[in-house]
Amino acid sequence: MKIINTFLTITALIVGVTMGLYLLGGYEKKSNLKLASLFSEEVLFFKYKTYENEEAMKQDLQSMERYIYMEEEGKPTVYLAITGEKENSQKIKEFFEKKGYSIKEEEMTMEQEDFLNILKQYDAVLKNTDDEAVIDAIIKQVIEKYQEVYEH
C-alpha cells in the first residue's frame, strides 16, 4: 500500500511539474511576441532599381555615395532612402527626381528599436527643412545608420 501511495505521489509531482513548465513556456512565448510587435513599425524604403547581378549594380552606382541593397529573388535591389513619415515621402521623391533618379516607395516592417528611434529623429528634422543640402545629409545619415545596424 505504501509503495502505491509513493508511486502515485511521484507520478502526480512529475505530471504537475511537466504541466507547470508547459504553461510557463506558453506565457514566455506570448510575452516575447508582444514585445516584438511593440517595436515593429512600417517604414518607407525608396527603391531605385533591381540588377541582374552585383557586378552590374556596382558598375552603375559608382557615383552614388550611399545606398542599400538587398537580395530579392537572387538579384540585388537598390534602395536610396528610408523614412518613417509619409509626409517626408514627397520631399524625398522630389530630391531624387531633381538628380535624375526615378524611385518608387515600398513599405517594409522593421523591428530594430534603436534604428527606429534614430529614424524618428531624422524624420523630425527632414519634416522641417526644404534645404537640399540638409535633405541630402539626412538621407546619407539614415542610410549609414541602417548599414551600421543591419549589415554589421
Side-chain angles (χ1 to χ4, degrees):
M1 188 60 125
K2 221 176 188 187
I3 294 175
I4 294 174
N5 284 340
T6 305
F7 176 73
L8 290 175
T9 304
I10 292 173
T11 304
L13 285 172
I14 291 172
V15 169
V17 169
T18 304
M19 292 298 290
L21 291 173
Y22 174 75
L23 291 173
L24 182 61
Y27 283 120
E28 287 176 5
K29 288 177 186 172
K30 286 182 182 178
S31 66
N32 286 342
L33 289 174
K34 288 180 184 175
L35 279 177
S37 66
L38 285 176
F39 302 122
S40 67
E41 291 184 26
E42 295 294 318
V43 295
L44 297 173
F45 280 70
F46 293 86
K47 181 179 180 177
Y48 172 55
K49 200 174 194 181
T50 300
Y51 294 88
E52 285 299 315
N53 55 51
E54 198 171 320
E55 207 172 290
M57 175 193 73
K58 287 179 180 178
Q59 190 174 22
D60 188 41
L61 298 173
Q62 287 178 355
S63 64
M64 182 69 64
E65 287 182 50
R66 295 239 184 269
Y67 57 89
I68 301 166
Y69 78 93
M70 299 177 200
E71 291 288 326
E72 293 180 4
E73 298 176 12
K75 297 180 180 181
T77 299
V78 174
Y79 296 90
L80 301 180
I82 306 170
T83 185
E85 296 283 334
K86 191 74 171 162
E87 297 171 28
N88 290 334
S89 175
Q90 191 59 35
K91 202 176 281 192
I92 291 171
K93 283 181 183 176
E94 289 172 1
F95 173 80
F96 281 108
E97 284 172 1
K98 286 180 185 176
K99 292 182 169 272
Y101 296 100
S102 176
I103 60 174
K104 178 176 103 175
E105 62 183 65
E106 288 186 1
E107 214 170 79
M108 294 187 197
T109 302
M110 298 185 75
E111 296 180 350
Q112 178 40 269
E113 181 184 14
D114 293 335
F115 177 76
L116 290 170
N117 288 334
I118 291 169
L119 183 61
K120 286 177 185 174
Q121 293 171 7
Y122 282 117
D123 278 337
V125 175
L126 185 59
K127 190 185 300 185
N128 294 315
T129 189
D130 289 322
D131 183 347
E132 285 194 20
V134 174
I135 294 170
D136 187 38
I138 290 170
I139 289 169
K140 287 176 185 173
Q141 285 294 312
V142 169
I143 295 295
E144 187 175 291
K145 294 297 179 190
Y146 178 90
Q147 289 171 330
E148 286 175 17
V149 171
Y150 285 96
E151 295 179 5
H152 295 290

